[in-house]
Amino acid sequence: FWLKASRLEPTPLNSQPSLFLFSVTMGKAAKTGKKLPNAPLAAKKTKAVKNPLFEKTPRNFRLGGDIQPKRDLTRFVRWPKYVRLQRMKKIMIMRLKMPPAINQFNMTIDKNQAATLLRLLKKYTPETNEAKKNRLMEKAQAKKDGQEDKSKKPQVIKYGLNHVTTLIEQKVAKLVVIAHDVEPIETVCWLPALCRKKDVPYCIIKGKG
């Protein structure tokens, strides 16, 4: 650096200030050749011995190279529309506040009660068209022969929304079984209230199947 300064010793008034040079050393200090001792308990580094029989063959996944590994592409699958609607509906139901008339269909009977109920209902399966035809034919034949028909109409399950509603209003129904996943839910959301009004026992079971 060149610095302009005046000498410390007295100088005549008419003399000009002199210039002198400062040398400044910049940079890091020179390293000393002194080596520090190793830690006494430090583990010694040993080089792994390579076996010449087993050579390393790294895979190359670039174009024209090795086959790409299998990846989980579930996130990128274009699912069918009905699956997307199911998922969107589930998320929407979780986010929205559900009114009591719809929330009551989440209060279903447990698995053991449902199994017992289904075993009971299986005994009262509606008769098939063939069985009904044979029963009516026998009844007609007995009437033709002049014999008294002693066969009674079998006790079976009644189904259908309009038919069941009529039986509830007449207080003839003994037990009403409602599925929790009827679509649209508005068709049956009023049915439990009607059962309570008419003092008809009812239950909600999982699965309309």
Side-chain angles (χ1 to χ4, degrees):
F1 291 93
W2 291 94
L3 297 179
K4 192 175 182 182
S6 60
R7 296 193 179 198
L8 296 177
E9 62 268 9
T11 56
L13 293 173
N14 59 357
S15 63
Q16 296 290 333
S18 62
L19 300 173
F20 57 93
L21 180 69
F22 284 101
S23 67
V24 180
T25 59
M26 297 181 69
K28 294 180 180 179
K31 290 183 180 179
T32 57
K34 191 174 181 181
K35 190 177 180 182
L36 296 173
N38 294 329
L41 299 176
K44 294 182 179 180
K45 293 181 180 179
T46 56
K47 289 185 178 180
V49 181
K50 292 183 180 179
N51 193 340
L53 297 176
F54 302 99
E55 294 183 6
K56 213 172 189 181
T57 53
R59 292 185 181 182
N60 178 24
F61 294 118
R62 298 184 68 178
L63 288 175
D66 291 303
I67 297 172
Q68 295 284 338
K70 286 187 178 180
R71 295 182 178 88
D72 185 14
L73 302 176
T74 311
R75 174 136 171 62
F76 307 100
V77 173
R78 183 173 175 81
W79 294 99
K81 193 168 184 179
Y82 77 95
V83 174
R84 282 180 280 156
L85 286 172
Q86 284 174 355
R87 293 179 179 178
M88 286 191 289
K89 182 184 174 186
K90 182 78 183 283
I91 292 168
M92 188 179 70
I93 287 172
M94 288 169 63
R95 289 180 181 174
L96 295 176
K97 286 187 176 180
M98 201 177 293
I102 295 174
N103 188 55
Q104 64 182 343
F105 290 96
N106 292 329
M107 312 301 176
T108 58
I109 58 176
D110 61 12
K111 196 174 180 181
N112 292 332
Q113 287 178 325
T116 308
L117 176 64
L118 291 173
R119 278 198 300 270
L120 173 67
L121 296 179
K122 195 173 182 181
K123 296 178 182 177
Y124 300 98
T125 308
E127 60 181 348
T128 60
N129 292 335
E130 190 69 26
K132 185 176 181 180
K133 184 180 177 182
N134 293 336
R135 179 173 61 82
L136 293 176
M137 286 291 290
E138 289 175 4
K139 186 176 181 180
Q141 188 67 32
K143 190 175 182 180
K144 184 181 178 182
D145 296 341
Q147 298 174 1
E148 187 181 350
D149 184 28
K150 295 181 180 179
S151 63
K152 292 182 180 180
K153 191 177 179 181
Q155 297 289 333
V156 294
I157 300 169
K158 303 296 181 182
Y159 57 91
L161 189 60
N162 292 338
H163 187 33
V164 170
T165 306
T166 306
L167 295 174
I168 295 171
E169 287 173 344
Q170 294 172 355
K171 297 187 179 181
V172 178
K174 302 297 181 184
L175 174 66
V176 180
V177 181
I178 309 168
H180 88 295
D181 55 350
V182 178
E183 191 70 33
I185 196 68
E186 290 84 4
T187 54
V188 293
C189 65
W190 47 269
L191 203 56
L194 180 65
C195 292
R196 285 195 294 270
K197 185 179 180 181
K198 297 293 182 179
D199 293 325
V200 175
Y202 73 95
C203 65
I204 297 168
I205 192 170
K206 274 196 173 181
K208 60 187 175 185

